[in-house]
């Protein structure tokens, strides 16, 4: 079992001055990258720009301090934008704070209960589907600012489809100046990384956007036109809580917790590959929970590990959690000194940054590759999750995606369970089969042998009902060497078969029962019902035992 200890404590044991310098440089660079992203993601989430910075500072520091990864950088991410925007629109900030705190508690409990490894049971098709769906929802949500469109008054704009309808209906208010600023910033974001990675393209785009609006006769909305900029330090805020609020917030809390767990652990896995280290998944979940609780209490929004910022940390020399803590402290200084200038950033620039975020997270190549190569059932899950994320929300997408995946898995497993009846020597019909009979043991007509292959669970329990016993049968042998597990439904079917055999004076013999089925049958009392002496270690012993019963009966 992995250690439940923050990675910081482990890395500080052999920490050197040279690595501290690298961590500080990496932390400052990541903070520069995180600054415009945090503001953009906060606005996409329907909250103030400073709340994105609060999240990166508080959650980023706590998660680096307590986390189970060497290099994880945490903060607001695009995956949460549409979820947070929906919660704020429906339940307000108190509803978001409560949902985030509850999500943090769930994450802490998941870590304490060692659920870190259980995340692997969420199918790849679901994570790909909802990630691509979130990317589409982000793009649709930013079309308004990129084109400078004003939504018609009175139209609901909470759901993605509602935003798209409002954008189309209000397209007549299209602003050419906004499009010019947005396109130039988008070109900067695409071109700059091809020439240099030392200067964040998003920072250049922000500066270019500010200069265009300030120096050119362009009428474009800025952050300061639409939001009140707050450069004060975050303060503790505990919302008033009642049972009804908790009931409403719980579904959102579970969604935030599951998404935070998936994204943070995926980020850890990616980072492990880059630095050839191993993260502590359970400790990381505890840290994510603590970070989200702290973020919510001090005015932030949900946070998780950010793959792009974590990769930037690694590329710039960060190798310990100190880099993540420096990133948070740097953003704190920026908040205190430079935050008022955030009001100068044009909204089309923010939209362009989020377009690039959406493109980088959409995994369109992976999506198309799955459509071409994956089984049709997997593609059904992929497409369903994607469409449900776009048309409804992530909660519905994950719930239905998991339901479909489980049903398809059970169908596949039930298809793997087979029942085969052994033929006796006199039942072969062709010369080839007659030649093969010499290789088989002769079985008397009064003994029937069936072999079951695959798991016996509720989806395949009817396999037992397919066993037919001919007239004159004295012993029924069921060979179970290829049955790895049974459940209560299958045992109920076996119990029914046992009762049928007793009623018709047939001895039921089970051959080569594996450990799990044997334990389950003993616990359910099936061993005594069938008779412990009727369990044999292999097929030869079973046939010999059946022959002895038949011979004894014939002598009587």
């Amino acid at each position: 079992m992995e250690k439940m200890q923050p990675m910081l404590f482990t890395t500080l044991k052999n920490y050197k001055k040279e690595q501290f310098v690298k961590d500080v440089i990496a932390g400052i660079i990541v903070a520069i990258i995180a600054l415009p992203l945090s503001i953009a993601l906060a606005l996409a989430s329907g909250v103030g720009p400073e709340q994105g910075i609060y999240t990166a500072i508080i959650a980023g520091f706590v998660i680096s301090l307590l986390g189970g990864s060497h290099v994880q950088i945490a903060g607001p991410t695009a995956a949460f934008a549409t979820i947070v925007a929906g919660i704020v629109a429906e339940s307000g900030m108190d509803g978001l704070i409560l949902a985030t705190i509850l999500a943090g508690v769930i994450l802490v409990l998941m870590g304490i209960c060692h659920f870190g490894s259980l995340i692997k049971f969420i199918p790849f098709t679901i994570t790909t589907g909802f990630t691509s769906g979130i990317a589409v929802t982000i793009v649709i949500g930013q079309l308004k600012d990129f084109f400078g469109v004003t939504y018609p008054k009175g139209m609901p704009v909470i759901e993605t489809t509602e935003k798209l309808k409002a954008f189309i209906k209000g397209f007549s208010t299209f602003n050419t100046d906004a499009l010019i600023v947005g396109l130039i910033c988008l070109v900067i974001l695409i071109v700059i990384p091809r020439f240099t990675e030392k200067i964040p393209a998003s920072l250049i785009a922000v500066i270019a956007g500010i200069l265009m609006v300030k120096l050119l006769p362009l009428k474009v909305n800025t952050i300061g036109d639409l939001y009140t900029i707050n450069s004060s330090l975050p303060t503790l805020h505990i919302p008033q809580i009642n049972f009804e609020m908790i009931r409403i917030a719980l579904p959102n809390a579970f969604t935030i917790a599951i998404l935070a767990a998936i994204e943070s652990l995926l980020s850890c896995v990616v980072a492990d590959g880059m630095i050839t280290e191993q993260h502590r998944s359970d400790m990381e979940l505890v840290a994510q929970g603590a970070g989200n609780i702290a973020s919510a209490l001090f005015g932030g929004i949900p946070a998780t590990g950010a793959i792009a910022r974590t990769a930037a940390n690694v590329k710039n020399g960060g190798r310990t959690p100190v880099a993540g803590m420096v990133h948070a402290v740097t953003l704190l200084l920026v908040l205190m000194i430079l935050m008022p200038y955030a009001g100068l950033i044009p909204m089309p620039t923010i939209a362009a940054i989020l377009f690039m975020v959406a493109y980088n997270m959409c995994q369109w190549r992976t999506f198309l590759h799955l459509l071409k190569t994956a089984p049709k059932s997997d593609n059904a899950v992929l497409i369903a999750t994607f469409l449900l994320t776009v048309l409804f929300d992530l909660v519905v997408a994950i719930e239905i995606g998991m339901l479909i995946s489980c049903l398809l898995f059970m169908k596949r497993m039930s298809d793997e369970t087979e029942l085969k009846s052994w033929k006796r020597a006199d039942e072969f019909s062709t010369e080839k089969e007659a030649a093969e009979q010499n290789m088989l043991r002769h079985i008397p007509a009064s003994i029937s042998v069936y072999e079951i292959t695959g798991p016996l669970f509720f989806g395949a329990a009817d396999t037992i009902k397919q066993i037919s016993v001919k007239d004159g049968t004295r012993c029924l042998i069921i060979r179970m060497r290829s049955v790895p597990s049974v459940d209560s439904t299958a045992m109920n079917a076996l119990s029914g078969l046992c009762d049928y055999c007793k009623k018709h004076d047939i001895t039921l013999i089970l051959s080569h029962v594996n450990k799990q089925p044997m334990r389950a049958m003993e616990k359910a009392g099936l061993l005594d019902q069938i008779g412990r002496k009727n369990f044999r270690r292999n097929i030869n012993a079973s046939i010999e035992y059946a022959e002895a019963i038949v011979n004894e009966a014939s002598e009587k």
Side-chain angles (χ1 to χ4, degrees):
M1 188 177 292
E2 66 179 31
K3 294 168 66 177
M4 285 292 288
Q5 182 186 61
M7 193 62 74
L8 177 67
F9 299 165
T10 302
T11 55
L12 288 181
K13 291 178 181 178
N14 300 309
Y15 199 54
K16 297 180 180 179
K17 179 181 178 181
E18 293 80 3
Q19 186 55 54
F20 175 71
V21 173
K22 291 180 181 178
D23 285 339
V24 169
I25 294 171
I28 293 172
I29 293 173
V30 172
I32 295 171
I33 295 171
L35 176 62
L37 284 176
S38 298
I39 293 173
L41 292 169
L43 296 179
S45 301
V47 298
E50 71 280 356
Q51 288 173 285
I53 306 295
Y54 291 167
T55 307
I57 293 170
I58 299 166
F61 189 89
V62 172
I63 291 171
S64 291
L65 176 68
L66 301 177
S69 170
H70 290 79
V71 293
Q72 179 88 287
I73 301 294
T77 63
F80 285 123
T82 53
I83 299 172
V84 173
I87 297 173
V88 172
E90 293 179 0
S91 306
M93 280 304 301
D94 278 359
L96 175 63
I97 292 171
L98 180 57
T100 307
I101 291 173
L102 291 174
V105 173
I106 293 169
L107 283 164
V108 170
L109 292 175
M110 288 171 67
I112 292 173
C113 296
H114 304 290
F115 280 9
S117 60
L118 295 183
I119 300 300
K120 66 185 178 183
F121 293 108
I122 296 180
F124 182 60
T125 47
I126 289 181
T127 57
T128 303
F130 75 63
T131 302
S132 300
I134 289 169
V136 172
T137 62
I138 290 171
V139 170
I140 292 173
Q142 296 307 308
L143 289 175
K144 166 184 173 289
D145 291 326
F146 192 80
F147 288 92
V149 169
T150 301
Y151 286 154
K153 290 184 179 180
M155 284 194 71
V157 287
I158 297 175
E159 302 293 338
T160 302
T161 51
E162 293 173 345
K163 291 177 182 177
L164 184 58
K165 289 178 183 176
F167 171 75
I168 294 171
K169 198 163 186 179
F171 194 73
S172 58
T173 62
F174 162 71
N175 183 352
T176 306
D177 292 349
L179 181 60
I180 291 171
V181 174
L183 285 174
I184 291 174
C185 291
L186 189 59
V187 170
I188 291 171
L189 291 165
I190 295 171
V191 173
I192 291 298
R194 299 183 181 182
F195 293 95
T196 179
E197 293 185 357
K198 293 183 179 179
I199 304 176
S202 57
L203 182 62
I204 298 175
V206 166
I207 294 172
I210 293 173
L211 292 176
M212 279 189 286
V213 173
K214 278 293 182 182
L215 302 179
L216 299 176
L218 299 173
K219 294 183 179 180
V220 177
N221 281 333
T222 64
I223 292 177
D225 295 332
L226 304 179
Y227 299 91
T228 301
I229 303 298
N230 183 4
S231 60
S232 62
L233 295 176
T235 56
L236 178 66
H237 173 68
I238 301 175
Q240 293 183 345
I241 299 173
N242 56 53
F243 179 78
E244 181 63 17
M245 288 181 65
I246 294 175
R247 185 187 66 80
I248 295 172
L250 265 179
N252 292 322
F254 274 105
T255 302
I256 293 170
I258 294 299
L259 188 55
I262 293 171
E263 193 166 0
S264 63
L265 294 182
L266 283 176
S267 179
C268 286
V269 171
V270 171
D272 286 349
M274 297 177 72
I275 62 174
T276 62
E277 294 285 356
Q278 189 69 35
H279 73 279
R280 296 166 184 164
S281 57
D282 294 328
M283 192 66 236
E284 183 64 24
L285 290 180
V286 171
Q288 292 289 335
N292 274 280
I293 292 171
S295 175
L297 290 175
F298 286 90
I301 59 178
T304 185
I307 296 176
R309 276 160 272 174
T310 299
N313 180 34
V314 173
K315 290 178 182 178
N316 287 283
R319 290 296 181 274
T320 75
V322 172
M325 297 164 71
V326 170
H327 138 268
V329 172
T330 304
L331 285 174
L332 177 62
L333 297 175
V334 170
L335 173 70
M336 297 169 62
I337 300 169
L338 301 176
M339 193 59 191
Y341 297 102
L344 302 175
I345 302 174
M347 294 305 295
T349 301
I350 295 295
I353 291 172
L354 289 170
F355 280 172
M356 288 305 298
V357 170
Y359 175 80
N360 290 329
M361 73 176 292
C362 72
Q363 303 183 61
W364 65 270
R365 292 184 180 86
T366 304
F367 196 99
L368 291 178
H369 178 71
L370 284 172
L371 287 178
K372 292 177 182 178
T373 60
K376 291 181 180 179
S377 57
D378 286 348
N379 283 337
V381 175
L382 175 68
I383 294 171
T385 308
F386 171 77
L387 291 176
L388 290 168
T389 302
V390 175
L391 299 177
F392 295 96
D393 58 50
L394 194 61
V395 179
V396 175
I398 292 179
E399 287 175 350
I400 295 182
M402 285 299 295
L403 177 62
I404 296 173
S405 295
C406 291
L407 290 174
L408 290 172
F409 174 76
M410 288 186 288
K411 176 65 169 60
R412 288 172 185 164
M413 289 298 98
S414 64
D415 290 343
E416 290 298 315
T417 303
E418 296 179 350
L419 178 69
K420 182 174 67 175
S421 173
W422 280 28
K423 287 187 176 182
R424 297 192 304 276
D426 58 351
E427 293 179 324
F428 291 99
S429 57
T430 66
E431 292 184 3
K432 182 179 179 181
E433 289 180 335
E436 290 175 349
Q437 71 173 311
N438 295 323
M439 302 170 60
L440 303 174
R441 179 168 180 165
H442 178 78
I443 301 174
S446 55
I447 299 175
S448 294
V449 180
Y450 283 87
E451 182 167 358
I452 300 176
T453 303
L456 278 175
F457 67 109
F458 59 89
D462 62 343
T463 301
I464 297 170
K465 297 180 182 179
Q466 297 172 20
I467 297 174
S468 60
V469 182
K470 297 180 181 179
D471 293 338
T473 299
R474 302 294 302 166
C475 291
L476 171 62
I477 300 174
I478 300 179
R479 194 181 193 189
M480 299 182 65
R481 64 172 181 171
S482 298
V483 177
S485 61
V486 299
D487 70 356
S488 57
T489 306
M491 286 190 291
N492 183 63
L494 280 171
S495 177
L497 178 63
C498 178
D499 291 339
Y500 174 87
C501 290
K502 286 182 179 179
K503 184 177 179 181
H504 292 82
D505 197 24
I506 299 170
T507 302
L508 177 62
I509 302 169
L510 299 187
S511 168
H512 197 148
V513 179
N514 290 307
K515 288 183 179 179
Q516 190 279 338
M518 185 66 80
R519 287 198 303 268
M521 290 180 191
E522 184 169 18
K523 188 175 181 180
L526 203 57
L527 256 67
D528 294 325
Q529 182 183 355
I530 295 173
R532 292 176 182 266
K533 63 181 180 179
N534 295 331
F535 284 78
R536 297 288 158 164
R537 66 179 182 276
N538 56 47
I539 190 63
N540 288 330
S542 299
I543 293 174
E544 289 173 359
Y545 177 62
E547 287 175 340
I549 293 174
V550 170
N551 292 334
E552 184 179 346
S554 62
E555 289 175 359
K556 292 181 181 179

